[in-house]
Amino acid sequence: MLEIRGLRAWYGNVQALHGIDINLKKRELVTLIGSNGAGKSTTLKSITGLLKKRSGHILFEGEDISFYSPARILQAGIALAPEGRWIFSDLTVEENLRMGAFTRPRDSLEGALEEQFELFPILKERRGQKGGTLSGGEQQMLAISRALMARPKLLLLDEPSLGLAPMMVRTVFSLIKNINAAGTSVLLVEQNSAMALSIADRGYVLSTGRIALAETAASLLSDTKVREVYLGGYANGDGI
Ligand SMILES: Nc1ncnc2c1ncn2[C@@H]1O[C@H](COP(=O)(O)OP(=O)(O)O)[C@@H](O)[C@H]1O
Ligand SMILES: [Mg+2]
């Protein structure tokens, strides 16, 4: 479904990605893990067309989307819940959700909203509340839900566990697992590698802009070398 070949990316003259290859099959939940500054967000910004200075190829369902605009990539079926969530704090929960569907035909919007309220009952309860007044966990759910409003085939998640209490992390990760089980493919970027690997099918370990390892989630999870060399231990999570 998604095929990234030889992706290189730059910020000015500084190269952040040095030729990475990633594949994701339809319905898979793939995680991209690695420490801070490894290039995880840069990879997602490249897929969604937000970062222009790059080379290599990004194919989605056989189509080369490498040079599509962000809006066209969203229309093609790829939506991102960005790092730091980027909730509109002065807009209500419902208004935030409606923003996620801006590429959709108007008549499908109410249906998409109802779907989201079914998946996230807490957001229905808080639909009239300003985004900025939600708890961290609720804001993360809103960011994911807003991305789903576009009814993507592939959902990209950038560090959904960031800044959340352990119990909320578990809640958010089971939601991600459910979203994937319901048919949406997921590329999950995380520093919390133990949690990410516990719900993923496969994982890629990114280290200073290069793919260091690509394995099934189970084998990465049991590999002590991975733990010590690339991930600095699993102290930040204990899995579901
Ligand atoms: N806006 C930016 N300008 C310059 N350098 C950046 C910018 N964003 C990220 N970088 C650099 O690119 C590298 C990869 O960053 P990033 O993809 O954000 O890492 P990660 O998401 O894995 O923590 C880092 O060295 C980082 O400092
Ligand atoms: Mg990042």
Side-chain angles (χ1 to χ4, degrees):
M1 177 179 229
L2 179 75
E3 190 177 346
I4 300 176
R5 283 194 217 137
L7 176 64
R8 296 179 162 75
W10 290 263
Y11 293 101
N13 293 323
V14 179
Q15 189 168 357
L17 297 178
H18 300 266
I20 68 166
D21 301 302
I22 292 176
N23 290 299
L24 180 147
K25 295 189 203 79
K26 202 168 186 313
R27 289 186 166 259
E28 259 192 321
L29 199 172
V30 172
T31 185
L32 179 61
I33 53 183
S35 53
N36 195 21
K40 304 182 299 298
S41 297
T42 304
T43 305
L44 295 188
K45 282 187 239 168
S46 300
I47 299 169
T48 50
L50 299 169
L51 184 69
K52 302 269 185 264
K53 198 168 178 190
R54 59 190 152 83
S55 68
H57 288 280
I58 302 170
L59 297 137
F60 183 62
E61 296 187 314
E63 195 177 354
D64 194 331
I65 60 162
S66 308
F67 296 101
Y68 282 15
S69 68
R72 202 162 159 212
I73 291 166
L74 183 60
Q75 252 162 346
I78 303 178
L80 167 71
E83 184 175 354
R85 299 156 201 154
W86 291 93
I87 294 305
F88 300 100
S89 39
D90 291 333
L91 297 185
T92 65
V93 165
E94 185 173 331
E95 287 163 343
N96 268 280
L97 288 174
R98 287 176 184 274
M99 303 283 282
F102 78 97
T103 57
R104 306 275 321 166
R106 277 191 88 86
D107 57 2
S108 71
L109 209 148
E110 302 309 318
L113 201 56
E114 281 316 309
E115 267 172 37
Q116 291 313 308
F117 285 153
E118 221 166 278
L119 191 57
F120 301 95
I122 187 75
L123 297 181
K124 185 172 190 178
E125 258 173 58
R126 310 216 185 278
R127 68 196 289 173
Q129 197 172 318
K130 292 264 163 54
T133 66
L134 299 179
S135 74
E138 290 163 355
Q139 286 193 9
Q140 186 57 61
M141 289 186 210
L142 179 55
I144 296 172
S145 184
R146 183 179 57 190
L148 289 174
M149 281 294 286
R151 289 188 164 131
K153 298 172 192 165
L154 171 61
L155 176 66
L156 310 178
L157 299 166
D158 198 348
E159 306 229 26
S161 78
L162 205 71
L164 302 186
M167 215 166 81
M168 187 48 75
V169 172
R170 279 193 281 276
T171 304
V172 168
F173 274 59
S174 1
L175 279 164
I176 295 168
K177 185 86 185 152
N178 292 344
I179 290 163
N180 175 246
T184 310
S185 312
V186 175
L187 180 58
L188 168 65
V189 156
E190 263 296 338
Q191 267 188 73
N192 190 338
S193 43
M195 283 299 284
L197 290 169
S198 76
I199 63 164
D201 301 310
R202 290 188 300 116
Y204 290 86
V205 179
L206 193 60
S207 174
T208 55
R210 289 181 177 82
I211 300 291
L213 283 164
E215 300 275 355
T216 63
S219 72
L220 285 175
L221 203 50
S222 63
D223 189 335
T224 34
K225 179 171 164 277
V226 174
R227 239 185 320 233
E228 282 156 19
V229 180
Y230 299 107
L231 308 169
Y234 283 164
N236 57 352
D238 55 359
I240 283 182

